[in-house]
Amino acid sequence: MALILSLTVNVNAQKNNKGEKKAFEEATARSLEPFHAAYVIPIVYDVDVSSRQQFGPYAFEIKGELKEWELQNNKKRAVYKALLEVGADEMVGTLYDSYINESDPKTLYVTVSGYPCKWKNFRNLDANSKEIELIKVIYPSSGVSISFDGSKATKEEKDSKTNK
């Protein structure tokens, strides 16, 4: 019945719109997507942290009045440019100095300082590695404990009311 109703509405809609140019159209083919579940062995890596460095100032054009989202976006762009300069992957302890000079109110300047980091030594998390205990401390679960012994994962649920 739903299929017949859908086809009838679709045919009538096409008849009503024949010859008209569309300014906008959206169509959905289905409303349910397939679901896939997978178990993934975590990957860990080491990080080389450099000493604090300062970068910039980087100049960004302002169109109109400076908005908060635009300031935040330009600060991210400044970090991106700084990381490209030193070939780093991320910056830790980032500090920003953002300003607009009175003589040039259409330009935002952003100076960045922080500790550039480079990722290295990517590897699968081994069940016997020292990182497992560290991960349990850094990322405590909310009542669910998952352990991995190399061949299977087990899940233990703790009763949150009795804190077992």
Side-chain angles (χ1 to χ4, degrees):
M1 186 68 164
L3 180 61
I4 293 171
L5 179 62
S6 175
L7 288 173
T8 303
V9 169
N10 192 18
V11 169
N12 287 335
Q14 288 176 1
K15 286 181 184 177
N16 293 337
N17 293 329
K18 283 196 177 203
E20 292 183 28
K21 291 185 179 181
K22 298 175 183 172
F24 174 80
E25 178 180 12
E26 180 195 19
T28 302
R30 57 187 147 170
S31 60
L32 180 64
E33 294 294 327
F35 175 78
H36 301 280
Y39 295 97
V40 178
I41 296 174
I43 295 176
V44 293
Y45 56 90
D46 298 327
V47 179
D48 273 342
V49 181
S50 300
S51 59
R52 181 172 283 282
Q53 297 178 37
Q54 184 169 327
F55 304 92
Y58 301 105
F60 301 102
E61 181 184 353
I62 301 171
K63 297 177 177 124
E65 187 177 321
L66 180 64
K67 300 192 176 35
E68 179 64 26
W69 66 265
E70 188 177 15
L71 172 62
Q72 297 306 320
N73 185 53
N74 285 326
K75 287 164 60 174
K76 291 176 188 175
R77 291 172 64 199
V79 170
Y80 174 76
K81 288 181 175 194
L83 293 175
L84 285 178
E85 283 182 26
V86 293
D89 297 310
E90 66 180 325
M91 183 147 337
V92 177
T94 310
L95 299 174
Y96 304 93
D97 181 20
S98 307
Y99 58 92
I100 299 171
N101 290 325
E102 286 183 8
S103 62
D104 187 13
K106 295 295 181 189
T107 303
L108 169 71
Y109 294 94
V110 180
T111 301
V112 177
S113 86
Y115 300 89
C117 304
K118 185 117 178 116
W119 302 333
K120 66 175 191 171
N121 194 19
F122 287 82
R123 61 202 178 277
N124 287 335
L125 181 63
D126 185 297
N128 300 317
S129 72
K130 62 184 178 190
E131 284 103 355
I132 287 188
E133 288 306 315
L134 182 60
I135 288 172
K136 288 179 183 178
V137 171
I138 295 172
Y139 302 104
S141 62
S142 58
V144 177
S145 174
I146 298 176
S147 62
F148 177 74
D149 70 3
S151 62
K152 64 179 181 175
T154 59
K155 177 179 171 183
E156 300 170 7
E157 293 192 32
K158 297 178 180 178
D159 186 354
S160 61
K161 292 179 183 175
T162 59
N163 293 325
K164 292 182 181 178

